[in-house]
């Protein structure tokens, strides 16, 4: 007999209860309690929805004495029974069990996430078990809904999803330090000072020679962003987006940085910064609305247990237009403010998260799109403004997070782009690795623009979770994997 014969997921069964029908439920025990009359009440969760199903095991069941004592938190069970209206106040229906089978036991003395309250930090030691908790189950379902809505939003607007590579030969993209990918015998090099294949001394080898024997015949790394490759497809297909993992080897130990994170990067041909800002605002609003509409149970839980203002915050995003401001204006407001910041603000320096949060949380009390940043603090590919000092960059700042989106109109003038590469300190080797990128301007270059949304920062924003490590299933941060 198939395990799944007559099986109903708890989400389906609670939404539309087939009363008095033979029903099978497969899931994990959350709690068990026995009444004085010897009836057992077992809360079972199968992950399909936030809520548990109450299973009632009558004292008259022949297997009671053998099975009920095994039903500890975490035990996998198969329950056959019939759904009946519940007499207790908390749930509409309950499953009157005819029989219960233990599929996998869970020793209460060993199970690390049993009954006692346990901090998010401690749960990071058990990333493989934490999705069994209310919080991490809710986060996982929210992530799934938001990811599907990323695709839904772009498909509805005629954007194509492009799969950009994870391993890249681009050098010095200006988006943070990259992880090197190599098959060279690093232990051998360390031990002998020489690489067994190249025979080269490990000391200050010539870059090109040294990597000629590496897997790809050159130095390569994990991608920091799919943008440059997305540009190639935007300048062929029109409107495209990427959605995949990106990697940054920065030694950041903050609550909003990961070494591996997911990024959504739309790129539009025949578009300018204005078009980019409109897309970013519509996109964020779409995702916030989707969370409210499709995850009401999870959102109610986040409000109750994670961050009391989280729903209001999302509603506020939907209600008002985003504030638009130049970097120069923002610096003036910051300097005129009475706040004491840890880092001073001067025109030409990058804004810190404390500055971003003051602008969006205190000064504007709304999401802010900052544009026209000084060219020296932004990547080489951003279009230079007529003032020669600023670039057509935009950062979208939201309360609780600060920067959630970074984007720009791209420089389409090949001579200006080459000059910017040199100005930003790219060496000949790096510029040569990007010659294909210059081709995109040499042959049919057109105005184009795009942005990157940090997917975990979005999930953090929507759920109210304080630490980015708690919104990705298996976080990777410096020193921890
Ligand atoms: O601002 P960033 O570095 O922009 C880019 O990478 C561009 N290539 C995007 C584009 O124009 N296509 O990164 C984009 C977003 C940030 O705004 C932030 O939300 C997120 O990615 N992000 C991170 N999220 C988690 N951990 C990190 N270490 C992150 N670094 C950036
Ligand atoms: Mg940025």
């Amino acid at each position: 007999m198939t395990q799944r014969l007559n099986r109903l997921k708890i989400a389906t069964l609670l939404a539309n209860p087939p009363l008095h029908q033979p029903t099978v439920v497969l899931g994990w025990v959350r709690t068990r309690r026995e009444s004085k009359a010897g009836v057992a009440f077992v809360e079972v969760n199968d992950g399909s929805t936030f809520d548990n199903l109450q299973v009632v095991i009558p004292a008259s069941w022949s297997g009671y004495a053998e099975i009920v004592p095994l039903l500890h938190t975490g035990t996998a069970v198969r329950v056959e029974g019939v759904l009946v209206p519940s007499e207790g106040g908390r749930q509409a229906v309950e499953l009157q069990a005819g029989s219960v089978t233990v599929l996998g036991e869970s020793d209460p003395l060993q199970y690390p996430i049993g009954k006692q309250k346990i901090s998010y930090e401690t749960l990071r030691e058990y990333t493989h078990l934490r999705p069994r908790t209310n919080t991490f189950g809710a986060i996982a379902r929210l992530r799934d809904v938001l990811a599907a809505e990323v695709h839904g939003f772009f498909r509805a607007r005629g954007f194509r999803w492009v799969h950009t590579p994870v391993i890249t030969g681009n050098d010095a993209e200006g988006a943070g330090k990259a992880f090197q990918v190599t098959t060279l015998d690093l232990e051998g090099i360390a031990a002998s000072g020489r690489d067994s294949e190249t025979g080269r001394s490990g000391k200050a080898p010539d870059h090109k020679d040294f990597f000629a024997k590496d897997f790809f015949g050159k130095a390569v790394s994990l991608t920091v962003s799919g943008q440059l490759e997305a540009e190639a497809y935007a300048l062929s297909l029109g409107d495209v987006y990427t959605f995949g993992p990106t990697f940054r080897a920065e030694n950041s130990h903050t609550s909003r940085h990961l070494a591996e994170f997911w990024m959504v990067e739309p790129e539009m041909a025949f578009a300018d910064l204005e078009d980019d800002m409109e897309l970013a605002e519509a996109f964020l609003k779409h995702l916030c609305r989707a969370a409210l509409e499709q995850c009401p149970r999870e959102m109610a839980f986040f409000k109750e247990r994670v961050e009391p203002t989280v729903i209001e915050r999302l509603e506020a995003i939907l209600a008002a237009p985003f504030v638009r401001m130049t970097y120069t204006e923002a610096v003036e407001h910051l300097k005129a403010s009475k706040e004491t910041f840890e880092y001073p603000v001067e025109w030409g320096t990058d804004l810190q998260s404390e500055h971003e949060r003051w602008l969006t949380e205190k000064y504007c009390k709304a999401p802010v799109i900052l544009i026209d940043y000084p060219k020296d603090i932004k990547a080489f590919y951003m279009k230079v403004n007529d003032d020669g000092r600023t670039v057509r960059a935009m950062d979208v700042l939201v309360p609780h997070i600060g920067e959630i989106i970074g984007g720009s109109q791209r420089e389409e003038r090949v001579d200006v782009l080459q000059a910017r590469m040199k100005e930003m300190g790219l060496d000949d080797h790096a510029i040569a690795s990007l010659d294909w990128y210059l081709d995109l301007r040499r042959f049919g270059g057109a105005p184009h623009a795009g942005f990157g949304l940090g997917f975990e920062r979005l999930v953090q924003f929507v759920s109210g979770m304080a630490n980015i490590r708690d919104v990705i299933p298996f976080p990777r941060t410096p020193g921890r994997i």
Side-chain angles (χ1 to χ4, degrees):
M1 186 189 75
T2 159
Q3 286 272 335
R4 293 182 165 223
L5 197 67
N6 289 337
R7 184 262 182 120
L8 276 183
K9 292 199 178 174
I10 293 173
T12 315
L13 161 170
L14 291 179
N16 196 3
L19 290 176
H20 311 297
Q21 305 291 317
T23 300
V24 170
V25 165
L26 299 162
W28 295 270
V29 172
R30 282 292 175 83
T31 59
R32 177 197 70 200
R33 139 182 99 72
E34 282 168 84
S35 77
K36 288 199 197 80
V39 178
F41 298 93
V42 182
E43 296 281 320
V44 173
N45 188 286
D46 69 0
S48 63
T49 184
F50 188 90
D51 292 304
N52 302 328
L53 177 67
Q54 174 160 287
V55 172
V56 182
I57 309 174
S60 58
W61 178 48
S62 60
Y64 192 102
E66 184 199 346
I67 299 297
V68 170
L70 298 177
L71 301 180
H72 303 294
T73 305
T75 304
V77 289
R78 182 175 194 281
V79 186
E80 275 178 49
V82 287
L83 275 182
V84 296
S86 176
E87 280 155 27
R90 290 211 301 135
Q91 60 280 315
V93 291
E94 60 193 28
L95 188 63
Q96 200 70 40
S99 79
V100 180
T101 317
V102 170
L103 302 176
E105 288 187 43
S106 176
D107 180 349
L109 299 177
Q110 303 288 328
Y111 192 50
I113 61 162
K115 289 217 178 71
Q116 72 286 26
K117 213 164 156 39
I118 179 167
S119 71
Y120 294 151
E121 205 164 16
T122 310
L123 279 170
R124 282 181 219 137
E125 311 285 332
Y126 305 102
T127 48
H128 57 302
L129 293 173
R130 66 180 184 168
R132 303 244 189 117
T133 65
N134 279 335
T135 306
F136 291 89
I139 292 285
R141 285 184 296 273
L142 173 66
R143 250 189 101 99
D144 166 69
V145 164
L146 291 172
E149 285 301 322
V150 165
H151 294 299
F153 175 86
F154 287 121
R155 296 208 81 76
R157 280 170 178 71
F159 284 62
R160 304 285 175 176
W161 181 20
V162 177
H163 306 105
T164 49
V166 166
I167 299 178
T168 172
N170 300 338
D171 204 1
E173 264 182 57
K177 201 167 164 6
F179 286 98
Q180 192 170 341
V181 176
T182 182
T183 53
L184 291 178
D185 173 19
L186 299 182
E187 279 180 31
I189 296 172
S192 69
R194 280 174 189 283
D195 176 62
S196 58
E197 291 222 28
T198 63
R200 281 256 154 202
S201 153
K203 279 178 231 129
D206 173 74
H207 188 270
K208 215 171 145 205
D209 266 19
F210 186 71
F211 290 106
K213 283 276 167 64
D214 203 348
F215 190 89
F216 294 102
K218 61 180 281 190
V220 301
S221 54
L222 294 180
T223 187
V224 293
S225 149
Q227 177 198 325
L228 304 193
E229 291 86 357
E231 284 185 52
Y233 273 74
L235 292 168
S236 311
L237 301 189
D239 294 334
V240 301
Y241 67 104
T242 71
F243 184 12
T246 48
F247 308 86
R248 298 196 184 175
E250 280 141 303
N251 195 19
S252 301
H253 295 260
T254 77
S255 60
R256 44 174 226 160
H257 286 91
L258 292 163
E260 175 178 310
F261 62 100
W262 284 62
M263 207 190 326
V264 184
E265 295 182 276
E267 191 71 33
M268 299 176 284
F270 313 112
D272 59 16
L273 191 64
E274 188 67 32
D275 299 313
D276 213 20
M277 288 193 279
E278 276 172 22
L279 185 75
E281 180 166 345
F283 184 44
L284 274 183
K285 286 184 166 168
H286 177 88
L287 295 170
C288 293
R289 195 177 300 114
L292 290 170
E293 287 175 1
Q294 295 179 46
C295 302
R297 190 67 188 84
E298 283 76 13
M299 290 308 304
F301 172 79
F302 296 138
K303 178 186 160 87
E304 193 188 310
R305 300 293 286 276
V306 176
E307 165 57 57
T309 65
V310 69
I311 291 181
E312 291 152 44
R313 208 196 277 154
L314 296 191
E315 285 167 347
I317 297 275
L318 297 181
F322 291 10
V323 176
R324 297 179 184 192
M325 191 187 283
T326 65
Y327 165 92
T328 303
E329 287 165 341
V331 167
E332 280 162 14
H333 296 313
L334 283 160
K335 290 182 90 159
S337 86
K338 301 272 180 302
E339 288 287 316
T340 39
F341 293 114
E342 192 183 337
Y343 295 90
V345 185
E346 272 313 321
W347 198 95
T349 59
D350 215 354
L351 298 182
Q352 301 294 322
S353 128
E354 56 173 346
H355 307 133
E356 295 173 346
R357 291 189 60 174
W358 179 83
L359 285 164
T360 169
E361 288 168 12
K362 299 217 170 120
Y363 188 74
C364 297
K365 299 190 168 57
V368 186
I369 311 184
L370 284 191
I371 61 167
D372 294 341
Y373 281 72
K375 64 176 183 177
D376 293 338
I377 58 170
K378 288 292 185 187
F380 66 84
Y381 51 70
M382 299 189 181
K383 186 175 172 95
V384 180
N385 278 315
D386 291 341
D387 65 11
R389 302 202 309 154
T390 59
V391 287
R392 300 248 80 190
M394 69 163 189
D395 275 9
V396 181
L397 317 178
V398 294
H400 178 76
I401 302 291
E403 179 193 340
I404 194 165
I405 284 177
S408 65
Q409 185 171 339
R410 318 307 188 187
E411 184 56 76
E412 80 269 21
R413 298 162 295 187
V414 70
D415 50 330
V416 180
L417 187 55
Q418 274 170 315
R420 281 287 292 149
M421 286 175 163
K422 294 215 173 82
E423 198 175 86
M424 294 305 282
L426 273 67
D427 60 21
D428 293 346
H429 183 267
I431 295 176
S433 81
L434 290 168
D435 197 53
W436 67 270
Y437 186 71
L438 294 168
D439 268 356
L440 301 177
R441 279 75 180 162
R442 292 185 186 115
F443 310 113
H448 62 292
F451 63 77
L453 165 80
F455 189 65
E456 284 71 26
R457 290 201 188 166
L458 171 78
V459 181
Q460 228 189 323
F461 176 69
V462 171
S463 63
M465 292 293 280
N467 197 311
I468 199 165
R469 296 164 202 215
D470 297 329
V471 298
I472 187 165
F474 296 94
R476 274 85 177 88
T477 49
R480 291 196 62 147
I481 191 153

